[in-house]
Amino acid sequence: MELKLDAIDRAILKILEKDAKTVAKNIAEQLNLTKTPVYERIKRLEKEGFIKHYSAVVNKEQIESSITVFSFVSLEAQKGYLMDDFLALVKEFPEVVECFIVGGEFDFLLKVIVKSLDAYYDFAKTKIATLPNIGAVKSAFVLKEVKDEIAFPLL
């Protein structure tokens, strides 16, 4: 059974994506509703999995300098169990903040955040390059981050 979102659900999600600390009372005021049905909708959205979790978005520039690298990885063989093994190992690397299975020239796209170019070299040499079945790794270094949105574009 496919779960549906109506316009009010989408409006609630948009508000919570901008600020997850917005309380039901404030959401209700923004949507010209009462607090109780908004609260109940939020609980339903959580229960049905539309809201996976709440988190704080940290300002990484305030914490320490870092570089972001996109690593394009190809495996020597694309057998299912080999791909699963690669994914299980990559999930353990704290430097990898996002991992995608992609089509085209490469098998995976990794978003890697490290402190420096030297740190990326060490990561690539001691972690990625040592994984079994690695065919090729190509890297693109982010020079400037122009847009950093985590919100899902609710239409």
Side-chain angles (χ1 to χ4, degrees), residues 16-150:
L16 289 173
E17 278 190 316
K18 287 182 183 169
D19 184 359
K21 290 177 75 175
T22 307
V23 294
K25 179 181 180 239
N26 292 347
I27 294 171
E29 288 171 2
Q30 291 179 51
L31 301 178
N32 295 318
L33 299 169
T34 57
K35 179 179 132 183
T36 301
V38 168
Y39 178 80
E40 289 171 356
R41 280 178 180 261
I42 292 170
K43 290 298 166 200
R44 180 182 53 80
L45 291 167
E46 291 170 347
K47 182 181 175 188
E48 292 177 355
F50 289 104
I51 298 172
K52 287 177 22 176
H53 65 270
Y54 297 93
S55 63
V57 179
V58 299
N59 183 345
K60 59 185 176 247
E61 286 80 28
Q62 288 288 101
I63 298 170
E64 64 187 345
S65 61
S66 64
I67 63 167
T68 301
V69 183
F70 289 96
S71 297
F72 303 90
V73 180
S74 294
L75 301 181
E76 289 178 343
Q78 287 76 25
K79 294 178 180 165
Y81 72 94
L82 295 172
M83 294 177 80
D84 291 343
D85 292 348
F86 174 84
L87 291 171
L89 293 168
V90 164
K91 286 179 184 177
E92 298 301 316
F93 299 152
E95 301 91 342
V96 177
V97 296
E98 294 183 63
C99 175
F100 304 93
I101 299 171
V102 295
E105 183 180 351
F106 298 96
D107 300 313
F108 302 96
L109 171 61
L110 309 179
K111 182 178 179 182
V112 179
I113 298 179
V114 290
K115 290 183 180 185
S116 64
L117 287 174
D118 286 339
Y120 180 73
Y121 174 76
D122 290 340
F123 167 78
K125 179 181 172 187
T126 63
K127 292 185 177 178
I128 295 296
T130 63
L131 294 176
N133 196 36
I134 294 294
V137 178
K138 292 193 179 188
S139 303
F141 300 89
V142 174
L143 300 176
K144 181 173 178 71
E145 193 170 284
V146 178
K147 183 176 181 183
D148 182 23
E149 280 293 323
I150 60 165

